[in-house]
Amino acid sequence: MVQCSCLLKVGIVISATVSILFILSGVFLFFWFPNMIKEKIHEKIAINNGSDSYKIWSKSPFPLDFSVYLFHVENADAVVNGEKPVLVQKGPYVFKQYKEKFDISFNEDSDSVSYRGMKKYFFDEENSNGSLSDSITILNLPFLGVSKEAMKLSGFQKLMLNMLVQMYKAKPFVTRNVSQLLFEGYHDPLIEALAKAKNKTMLPNNTFGFLYGQNGSTADSLYTVNQGNLDVSKILTIEAIDNRTSLPYWGSKYCNMINGTDGGQFPLPISREQDVYLYSAELCRSVNLRYKVDVVVEGIKLYRYTTSPSLLAEATVNPDNACYCVDGNCLKSGVMRISVCKKGAPVVVSMPHFYQADEEFLNAVEGLNPEEHLHQIYIDVEPMTGIVMSAGKRLQMNADVKPVNGLTGYEKMPSVIFPLLWVSESAAIKPSSADKFKAQLQKPIATGYAVIFALLAIGVFILLCLGAFFIIHAIRNKSRKGVIANRGGAKLAITDNSGPASEKLLTKPVFA
């Protein structure tokens, strides 16, 4: 009995020790494991020459869908006489966009890397609604630029300009095919004549196209971004553009600030409570996007960020936008002049179909129908890595049209922000890439937490078993003591009583 009791005590001590070790290990891993995961993620996402993240960053592994929608003008002749434009959306004309970075140089002292970007476009006829040979009637943007210059001319100069306009038969609207309007471009004889007269280049090769010269050519701007080795909260944030740490376009230090990344990845930590920032070369400014909702793409949980109405709100609504007013001329909410960064071109940007814009712009034309799910900018970010897994960047190009006295074709033109086209640059992670991401990050994390909770569960289970054993053991001991007490009482009755009573007691069972 003594040996059994000793073995039992040893077993209890070992079980208790194992239980405590399991629980302590689980608690330790519970607090250590997340930090270890963060460190591993930081190592993986930092941009270092030859790393996996560098290869993906320097050359996109899959193309983006670059969709162009052009606004065909149904009543061009009537608009010249002052009537409201009637527009018909044509497209999408879809291109596969491949991004690549060149002239990459690492600056180890500052933990930064510099590069120039390049984009290549290939027409995707299968996913397009139309062909590149489709004819589109659209505002003649080069002639519009001439009309803006005409406002500054004297009467005699305007007369001479009018002679050139009539000689070269320049019109406020042109009909060209999609290829000419986008990448191929079309020759403008009026611009060529004016360029010769002024002895300066007004358009490259006297040719205009909305995307002329942008297919396969290296971007002019030199970007310098943070590598994220020393501070992951700065990874891929733009530190300089063309060696400038601020923009040269706007009227204040605030509006000229360069904040955020290029939109492909964001610094950690990612939070629902904090906006994410990116620099938009198309808007020539930094942009903030606000958390909206959780979404799931290919089994990966993401945070969706979208633009808020305050981004392009007029200065009376959002005073921070006052410094984006050009020459003190502020437009109403939803649109923004960018002529200061587009060589003086009368270009105004907005969301497609004037989404989130003042109704004045929508009512000035016919044929637009803004819808959130079609026209809003959104970015879906994986919160542990800051990587964008899905996105839709959408922007509309408009022209600031005003009548010009004494200029043929523009004397009766309506004063209107005139839609020209809008583009959607979209992408979503492919199933194969999503499976690889989950295998490299989500599954190890799930396995790690499974081990942690298994350790805790086993430790707690052993403790519960020991507790149950002690309770049962205590109950049994109590029962045994009661039995012994009853036996002792019976013996006492036999000993202390004599005579017939004792004899009577002896004739009955002790525990009857």
Side-chain angles (χ1 to χ4, degrees):
M1 289 293 291
V2 174
Q3 186 177 0
C4 287
S5 177
C6 290
L7 288 174
L8 181 62
K9 289 180 180 179
V10 170
I12 290 171
V13 170
I14 291 173
S15 298
T17 303
V18 170
S19 172
I20 292 169
L21 285 174
F22 271 54
I23 292 172
L24 290 176
S25 298
V27 170
F28 171 76
L29 289 174
F30 183 80
F31 289 101
W32 172 81
F33 187 65
N35 293 326
M36 186 271 289
I37 290 294
K38 287 180 182 179
E39 289 179 5
K40 293 297 182 183
I41 289 173
H42 297 172
E43 290 176 8
K44 284 285 186 182
I45 64 176
I47 305 301
N48 292 303
N49 197 2
S51 66
D52 290 340
S53 58
Y54 169 81
K55 293 173 185 176
I56 295 172
W57 169 80
S58 60
K59 187 175 182 179
S60 178
F62 52 84
L64 284 72
D65 287 328
F66 186 83
S67 304
V68 183
Y69 299 81
L70 292 158
F71 290 113
H72 171 74
V73 184
E74 285 276 280
N75 60 337
D77 292 337
V79 175
V80 173
N81 289 312
E83 293 189 21
K84 180 189 289 189
V86 177
L87 308 176
V88 176
Q89 179 176 284
K90 300 287 186 178
Y93 301 96
V94 182
F95 297 83
K96 294 298 182 185
Q97 182 195 79
Y98 293 84
K99 291 184 176 182
E100 191 169 355
K101 294 177 174 64
F102 284 92
D103 298 335
I104 299 173
S105 62
F106 287 90
N107 314 303
E108 293 182 3
D109 293 340
S110 58
D111 191 34
S112 63
V113 56
S114 301
Y115 67 91
R116 298 182 189 273
M118 186 183 76
K119 299 175 183 178
K120 292 181 180 179
Y121 301 86
F122 299 91
F123 184 58
D124 183 1
E125 188 172 5
E126 182 179 348
N127 291 309
S128 297
N129 182 25
S131 72
L132 296 179
S133 61
D134 291 349
S135 291
I136 306 288
T137 298
I138 199 167
L139 198 70
N140 187 357
L141 207 59
F143 188 33
L144 175 62
V146 172
S147 76
K148 295 298 180 184
E149 292 298 317
M151 293 180 179
K152 307 172 187 176
L153 300 179
S154 64
F156 176 74
Q157 290 173 322
K158 197 176 291 184
L159 179 64
M160 297 298 294
L161 176 61
N162 253 328
M163 291 175 62
L164 286 174
V165 169
Q166 293 169 11
M167 180 186 301
Y168 291 103
K169 298 179 181 180
K171 303 289 183 183
F173 295 92
V174 293
T175 300
R176 297 286 186 272
N177 65 42
V178 175
S179 181
Q180 291 173 316
L181 290 173
L182 298 181
F183 294 103
E184 181 183 339
Y186 62 90
H187 179 257
D188 193 301
L190 175 61
I191 295 298
E192 183 177 8
L194 290 173
K196 286 182 179 179
K198 293 184 176 183
N199 194 28
K200 71 174 187 178
T201 301
M202 297 180 68
L203 286 174
N205 302 318
N206 300 307
T207 300
F208 173 78
F210 290 108
L211 298 169
Y212 179 72
Q214 295 184 35
N215 193 357
S217 60
T218 305
D220 293 333
S221 296
L222 176 70
Y223 284 78
T224 302
V225 301
N226 192 284
Q227 290 179 248
N229 287 306
L230 303 179
D231 188 350
V232 75
S233 68
K234 295 180 179 179
I235 186 169
L236 290 179
T237 53
I238 299 172
E239 297 183 345
I241 301 175
D242 292 329
N243 297 317
R244 292 175 177 266
T245 56
S246 62
L247 302 172
Y249 310 125
W250 307 107
S252 76
K253 183 178 180 180
Y254 173 80
C255 283
N256 281 321
M257 291 175 65
I258 302 173
N259 294 320
T261 70
D262 66 355
Q265 185 173 340
F266 293 97
L268 299 176
I270 300 296
S271 166
R272 294 182 181 92
E273 288 72 38
Q274 293 182 339
D275 293 356
V276 296
Y277 291 83
L278 61 86
Y279 174 75
S280 170
E282 293 78 16
L283 288 173
C284 308
R285 61 168 286 186
S286 298
V287 173
N288 69 301
L289 293 95
R290 197 152 292 164
Y291 170 81
K292 185 174 185 179
V293 67
D294 282 13
V295 297
V296 177
V297 177
E298 297 293 344
I300 303 172
K301 187 177 180 181
L302 310 171
Y303 294 172
R304 172 161 290 182
Y305 294 84
T306 62
T307 54
S308 69
S310 64
L311 176 67
L312 296 178
E314 58 187 300
T316 55
V317 177
N318 182 5
D320 288 341
N321 285 341
C323 48
Y324 292 116
C325 300
V326 178
D327 297 327
N329 188 356
C330 300
L331 295 171
K332 290 187 176 181
S333 292
V335 300
M336 177 182 174
R337 281 195 183 92
I338 57 170
S339 54
V340 292
C341 63
K342 301 299 178 183
K343 300 179 179 179
V347 177
V348 175
V349 292
S350 68
M351 298 302 169
H353 287 242
F354 292 127
Y355 173 70
Q356 292 184 334
D358 193 283
E359 288 189 1
E360 174 187 308
F361 305 115
L362 189 62
N363 294 333
V365 298
E366 290 185 14
L368 302 189
N369 182 31
E371 296 183 53
E372 179 179 317
H373 73 284
L374 293 175
H375 304 135
Q376 186 177 53
I377 294 174
Y378 71 90
I379 293 179
D380 298 335
V381 185
E382 201 286 313
M384 294 192 69
T385 60
I387 296 172
V388 175
M389 298 290 185
S390 174
K393 301 177 185 178
R394 295 147 176 173
L395 207 62
Q396 180 170 300
M397 180 185 290
N398 312 279
D400 187 6
V401 176
K402 286 182 172 59
V404 181
N405 291 328
L407 181 63
T408 302
Y410 266 87
E411 291 178 311
K412 297 180 181 180
M413 285 283 280
S415 182
V416 60
I417 301 298
F418 206 114
L420 302 170
L421 59 85
W422 69 276
V423 298
S424 173
E425 188 179 290
S426 61
I429 189 170
K430 306 300 180 186
S432 58
S433 298
D435 290 341
K436 184 178 179 181
F437 177 84
K438 287 183 282 189
Q440 291 182 344
L441 182 65
Q442 291 186 338
K443 287 182 180 178
I445 291 175
T447 302
Y449 277 111
V451 170
I452 290 169
F453 290 122
L455 288 171
L456 292 171
I458 293 170
V460 171
F461 177 74
I462 294 173
L463 274 185
L464 290 174
C465 290
L466 287 173
F469 172 79
F470 281 119
I471 291 170
I472 293 169
H473 186 69
I475 292 171
R476 286 181 176 176
N477 281 343
K478 188 175 181 180
S479 298
R480 286 173 183 170
K481 287 179 180 178
V483 170
I484 292 169
N486 286 335
R487 286 177 176 173
K491 289 179 181 179
L492 184 64
I494 293 169
T495 304
D496 294 341
N497 292 284
S498 60
S502 62
E503 291 176 5
K504 195 174 182 179
L505 287 172
L506 288 172
T507 62
K508 294 183 179 181
V510 174
F511 297 104

